[in-house]
């Protein structure tokens, strides 16, 4: 294999796509067409210009990724029950499908735009509502992400560079976590990688249609997870502004077109929602005034950066150490909570990014290598900075958005340096990248010393030895062997973490990748408290601000530690549910808010008797309500939305629903309501009113009120 197999020359302006061969249009006899490769053989062999091993290697990579992401998928149950309930609702109501309602009777929406719900709902409509049908779309999105990332890198570089990029992305622990889970992040990442492919095509010939597609895919990513989708645009825009083939004025105009297509692709749903009368649509979850703009520019948008998140868990505002969700700063991606998720190869990616930019410094403006480094480097830096400095709600799994950029930079940068290995600078960059990876892997593995203890010294010894060897000039064959060994060492630790992640079921709203360890994960007011492992086999951990699974209103929320309807170690307290199932789950307080509730068979049967009601039951907090809805198959009203702090419904509206026999039962406990985390107090007011006017009974260890049988005639 020649050096050009690893990376073809990419300097100089990219010309237009080659025109098809002439077939006699000028009157001359047409040249005979070459024999066509059979389709099946072409599928296996790939383009004739590729090495014979390239396509089989890609198919093996995709197959292995599919097995890793799909194997044992159902063990996580409903995973994030909040989104699973919305997908279930969408199978029963197209209105719920469109708006992303948490229940089929369309009381309130999820606190994000709904695009991520649609693949799950379509799968569940086709195959029936089950854990597997809801989780499988995310796994397939992961396989597609790896395939598109490969195609993007290979277009300008070599199959080897593309395979490295795909393997790094597929084997990053947080990617394994999120592509086996049903949060919006999986679809977000897939759409953004598709946008990077479209931008790559735009940079080749300067055609506007590819910029339109880039903007459209970013707009769809906005409909998946709102403003986070826009973090790739600075890198995309800078790359095209500097390296796009057309003249400067045209490049600027084309970027305006990209922006317009982004707004149109992401704004049509927002326009419909905002123009629809509030009485004709569900309440907009996460808002304090039933407006999507309130969500976008507050709790679920800029508030993530500033910490000003009215209606959020914890209420907003930065603590002494930075944000309420842990310490902020430039090292956040590498700290105890975030480090093991995606940072394994970030040092290598940064070293190779800087090295590649230095190497291409004097190349022509349209140099493709530099353009690719700007696209992916801008993605990594802007997204990484936003996560690092954000003072609002930031979860560890958000780092999955960094994964494609890390993979691309490692693949591209490694191939570029290998191609110039006769230069001491390139060899030094390769050495620095592998040495940084080795030392960082050694450090991260030290945070879980009891887990796979033999792996840590092995990586250190081999990594240092291979790093030193890369400094020495060597023959191509020996160099390939050394470089391949270095890649194996670099991927060993994240692969081990990924396998541990795939073996571990995950439930709740705050999953973590890798083996359980002390001090990982945090919540409001926590700077590294226990993690919300959640789910069987997921490890216990502690809830943020709580002790040994207690959920009676953590003082970190600014409260007294006594939220109405909360539970302590699963025991009934203050009229709570008593349904907590140990650390990471629970029916009250923050446990019920973030982790869902275990529902007994007697309560399930009781809820299934309410077919004549619009809602079989109402419960505070959407995760709490989701558990009962998924167990019974009946619509359950999520009072106060995800956090239990949305002012919906008001007490008067709830009383009207009860008078008109729209709600059969009220389930005690769950959510934060209008307590320290909320701003309206409506959830607490409703719970108090129900307790005062209806008789409580215990079913499957849960406090239930029959709203069709008031204890007194007043108020109902």
């Amino acid at each position: 294999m020649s050096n050009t197999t690893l990376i073809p020359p990419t300097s100089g302006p990219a010309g237009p796509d080659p025109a098809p061969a002439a077939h006699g249009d000028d009157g001359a006899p047409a040249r005979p067409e070459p024999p066509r490769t059979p389709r099946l053989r072409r599928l296996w062999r790939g383009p004739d210009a590729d090495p014979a091993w390239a396509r089989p290697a890609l198919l093996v990579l995709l197959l292995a990724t599919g097995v890793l992401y799909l194997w044992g998928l159902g063990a996580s149950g409903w995973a994030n029950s909040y989104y699973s309930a919305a997908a279930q609702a969408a199978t029963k109501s197209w209105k719920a499908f469109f708006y992303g309602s948490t229940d089929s009777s369309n009381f309130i929406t999820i606190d994000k735009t709904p695009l991520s719900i649609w693949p799950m709902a379509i799968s569940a409509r086709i195959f029936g509502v089950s854990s597997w049908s809801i989780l499988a779309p995310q796994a397939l999105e992961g396989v597609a992400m790896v395939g598109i990332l490969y195609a993007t890198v290979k277009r300008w570089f070599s199959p080897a560079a593309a395979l490295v990029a795909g393997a790094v992305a597929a084997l990053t622990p947080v990617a394994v976590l999120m592509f086996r889970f049903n949060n919006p992040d999986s679809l977000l990442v897939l759409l953004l990688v598709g946008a990077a492919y479209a931008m790559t095509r735009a940079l080749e010939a300067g055609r506007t249609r590819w910029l339109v597609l880039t903007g459209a895919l970013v707009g769809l990513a906005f409909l998946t997870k709102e403003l986070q989708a826009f973090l790739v645009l600075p890198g995309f825009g800078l790359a095209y502004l500097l390296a796009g083939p057309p003249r400067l004025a045209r490049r600027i105009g084309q970027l305006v077109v990209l922006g317009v297509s982004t707004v149109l692709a992401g704004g049509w749903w927002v326009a419909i929602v905002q123009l629809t009368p509030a009485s004709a649509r569900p309440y907009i979850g996460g808002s304090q005034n039933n407006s999507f703009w309130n969500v976008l520019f507050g709790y679920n948008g800029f508030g993530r950066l500033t910490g000003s998140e009215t209606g959020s868990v914890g209420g907003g505002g930065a603590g002494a150490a930075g944000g309420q969700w842990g310490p902020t700063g430039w090292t956040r991606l590498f700290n105890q909570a975030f480090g093991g998720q995606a940072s394994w190869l970030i040092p290598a990616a940064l070293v190779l990014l800087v090295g590649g930019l230095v190497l291409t410094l004097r190349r022509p403006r349209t140099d493709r290598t530099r353009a690719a480094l700007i696209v992916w480097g801008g993605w990594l830096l802007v997204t990484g900075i936003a996560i690092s400095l954000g003072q609002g709600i930031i979860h560890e799994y958000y780092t999955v958005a960094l994964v494609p950029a890390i993979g691309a930079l490692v693949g591209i940068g490694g191939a570029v340096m290998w191609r110039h290995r006769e230069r001491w600078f390139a060899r030094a960059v390769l050495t620095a990248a592998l040495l940084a990876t080795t030392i960082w892997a050694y450090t991260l593995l030290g945070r879980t010393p009891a887990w796979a203890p033999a792996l840590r010294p092995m990586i250190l010894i081999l990594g240092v030895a291979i790093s030193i060897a890369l400094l020495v000039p060597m023959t191509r064959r020996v160099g390939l062997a050394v470089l391949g060994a270095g890649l194996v060492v670099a991927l060993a630790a994240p692969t081990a973490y990924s396998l541990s992640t795939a073996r571990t079921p995950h439930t709740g709203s705050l999953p973590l990748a890798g083996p359980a360890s002390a001090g990982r994960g945090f919540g409001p007011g926590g700077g590294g408290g226990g993690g919300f492992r959640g789910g069987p086999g997921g490890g216990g951990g502690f809830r943020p601000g709580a002790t040994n699974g207690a959920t009676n209103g953590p003082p970190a929320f600014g409260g007294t530690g006594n939220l109405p309807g909360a539970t302590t170690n699963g025991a009934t307290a203050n009229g709570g549910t008593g349904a907590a199932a140990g650390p990471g789950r629970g029916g009250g307080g923050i446990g019920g808010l973030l982790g869902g509730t275990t529902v007994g068979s007697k309560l399930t049967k009781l809820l299934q008797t309410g077919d004549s009601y619009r809602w079989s039951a109402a419960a505070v907090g959407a995760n709490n309500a989701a558990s009962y809805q998924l167990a019974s198959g009946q619509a359950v009203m999520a009072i106060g939305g995800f956090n239990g702090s949305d002012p919906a419904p008001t007490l008067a509206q709830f009383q009207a629903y009860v008078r008109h026999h729209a709600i059969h039962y009220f389930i005690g406990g769950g959510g934060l309501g209008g307590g320290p985390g909320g701003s309206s107090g409506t959830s607490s007011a409703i719970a108090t009113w129900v307790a005062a006017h209806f008789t409580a009974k215990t079913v499957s260890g849960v406090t239930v009120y029959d709203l069709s049988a008031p204890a007194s005639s007043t108020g109902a």
Side-chain angles (χ1 to χ4, degrees):
M1 182 176 63
S2 67
N3 294 346
T4 56
T5 302
L6 284 170
I7 172 168
T10 57
S11 299
D17 292 342
H23 289 280
D25 291 340
D26 58 356
R31 290 175 294 177
E33 295 184 13
R36 295 185 179 181
T37 306
R39 289 185 179 180
L40 185 60
R41 182 177 180 277
R42 184 172 179 81
L43 175 66
W44 175 254
R45 173 61 179 83
D48 293 336
D50 285 356
W53 53 263
R55 179 57 62 86
L58 169 62
L59 295 177
V60 169
L61 173 62
L62 295 179
L63 178 62
T65 303
V67 171
L68 181 62
Y69 291 176
L70 287 165
W71 190 267
L73 197 59
S76 292
W78 297 115
N80 191 331
S81 58
Y82 180 58
Y83 295 116
S84 292
Q88 179 210 50
T91 65
K92 297 185 176 185
S93 164
W94 286 110
K95 183 176 181 180
F97 180 97
F98 178 79
Y99 287 107
S101 302
T102 62
D103 68 88
S104 57
S105 292
N106 293 287
F107 169 65
I108 196 169
T109 71
I110 60 173
D111 59 357
K112 293 178 180 64
T113 40
L115 188 62
S116 67
I117 301 298
W118 296 350
M120 290 185 273
I122 292 171
S123 175
R125 279 181 176 267
I126 295 173
F127 300 107
V129 178
S130 68
S131 171
W132 203 90
S133 68
I134 286 177
L135 295 178
Q138 284 70 236
L140 297 178
E141 289 163 7
V143 176
M145 181 275 294
V146 172
I148 297 174
L149 180 61
Y150 173 92
T152 305
V153 174
K154 177 181 173 293
R155 189 158 188 91
W156 288 359
F157 303 94
S158 67
L163 285 170
V164 170
V168 169
L171 294 173
T172 302
V174 73
V176 177
L177 173 72
M178 296 315 296
F179 287 116
R180 293 174 58 88
F181 208 69
N182 59 329
N183 279 17
D185 303 74
S186 55
L187 183 58
L188 170 76
V189 171
L190 172 61
L191 290 168
L192 293 182
V193 172
Y197 175 83
M199 175 54 67
T200 299
R201 296 297 301 268
L203 283 162
E204 288 178 2
R207 293 181 176 173
T208 304
R209 66 188 185 192
W210 288 109
L211 290 163
V212 171
L213 180 59
T214 301
L217 289 170
V218 173
L220 292 177
F222 169 83
L223 288 181
T224 302
K225 209 178 177 192
E226 297 170 22
L227 293 180
Q228 186 178 347
F230 295 162
L231 295 177
V232 301
L233 288 177
F236 288 5
L238 179 61
Y240 196 79
L241 193 63
L242 294 179
R247 295 189 177 187
L248 179 60
R250 179 168 172 79
R251 296 200 302 273
I252 294 174
Q254 287 176 314
L255 289 177
V256 172
V257 172
L258 185 154
V260 171
S261 66
T262 300
V263 172
L264 292 177
W268 64 271
W269 183 88
V270 177
I272 292 175
V273 169
Q274 288 299 109
L275 294 174
T276 301
S279 59
R281 59 166 171 77
Y283 186 94
I284 303 302
S287 73
Q288 298 299 297
N289 60 359
N290 201 9
S291 169
F292 175 76
W293 302 120
N294 183 254
V295 181
L296 183 64
F297 294 108
Y299 153 66
N300 216 26
F302 291 114
R304 299 292 173 113
L305 298 177
T306 65
S308 178
E309 300 174 285
T310 303
S312 167
V313 178
Q324 292 199 72
W325 292 79
T328 63
W330 297 104
T331 61
R332 189 184 214 177
L333 294 176
F334 306 96
N335 69 17
Q336 189 79 11
F338 283 77
Q341 306 302 296
S343 73
W344 301 88
L345 287 163
I346 287 181
L350 294 175
V351 169
L352 291 167
L353 170 62
V354 173
L357 291 175
V358 170
L359 201 63
T360 60
L361 192 60
R362 297 187 178 182
R363 291 187 181 178
R365 178 182 66 81
T366 55
D367 178 69
R368 289 182 175 181
T369 298
R370 184 172 55 235
L373 291 172
I374 293 173
V375 166
W376 296 108
W379 178 330
L380 176 63
L381 292 175
V382 175
T383 304
I385 290 171
I387 295 174
S388 298
L389 302 183
Q391 297 191 27
I393 298 177
I394 300 291
H395 303 313
E396 296 93 334
Y397 65 79
Y398 287 8
T399 56
V400 71
L402 304 172
V403 167
I406 296 170
L409 289 172
V410 170
I412 294 169
V416 170
M417 297 305 149
W418 169 256
R419 182 169 176 252
H420 294 277
R421 63 191 180 279
E422 73 283 354
R423 301 171 60 175
W424 71 266
F425 175 79
R427 296 197 304 274
V429 170
L430 285 174
T431 295
L434 181 57
L435 190 60
T437 300
T438 298
I439 295 173
W440 183 235
Y442 183 81
T443 302
L444 286 176
L445 289 172
R447 296 176 180 177
T448 54
W451 180 83
L455 185 61
R456 190 179 183 218
M458 182 184 69
I459 288 176
L460 181 64
I461 294 171
L462 292 177
V464 171
I466 296 171
S467 298
I468 295 173
L470 286 172
L471 283 173
V472 180
M474 58 190 74
T475 65
R476 174 180 166 276
R477 180 171 296 181
V478 174
L480 280 174
V482 173
L483 192 64
L487 181 62
V488 171
V489 171
L491 288 177
T495 299
Y497 255 57
S498 293
L499 293 174
S500 174
T501 301
R503 289 196 302 266
T504 303
H506 295 87
T507 61
S509 296
L510 302 179
L512 289 171
S517 65
R520 294 175 64 239
F522 49 78
F532 273 74
R533 293 296 300 172
F542 300 114
R543 298 190 181 98
T547 303
N548 294 333
T551 57
N552 57 334
F557 283 77
T560 62
N562 293 298
L563 290 179
T567 63
T568 304
N569 295 329
T572 303
N574 298 327
T577 69
R585 297 182 66 83
I590 193 170
L593 171 69
L594 295 175
T597 302
T598 301
V599 183
S601 58
K602 290 184 179 179
L603 180 55
T604 298
K605 292 180 181 178
L606 181 69
L607 297 178
Q608 290 171 339
T609 62
D611 289 342
S612 61
Y613 291 79
R614 184 175 176 184
W615 292 280
S616 176
V620 175
N623 265 301
N624 198 34
S627 299
Y628 300 110
Q629 179 171 299
L630 289 165
S632 66
Q634 304 297 313
V636 176
M637 175 186 287
I639 297 174
F642 181 82
N643 297 323
S645 59
D646 297 349
T650 64
L651 177 59
Q653 289 170 335
F654 187 84
Q655 291 171 336
Y657 283 132
V658 173
R659 284 196 303 270
H660 290 90
H661 303 286
I663 309 171
H664 197 172
Y665 298 103
F666 178 85
I667 300 171
L672 295 175
S679 60
S680 64
T682 56
S683 298
S684 292
I686 289 170
T688 300
W689 176 79
V690 169
H693 294 88
F694 296 89
T695 302
K697 62 179 178 180
T698 301
V699 183
S700 298
V702 177
T703 302
V704 179
Y705 299 85
D706 186 346
L707 302 182
S708 66
S712 66
S713 59
T714 59

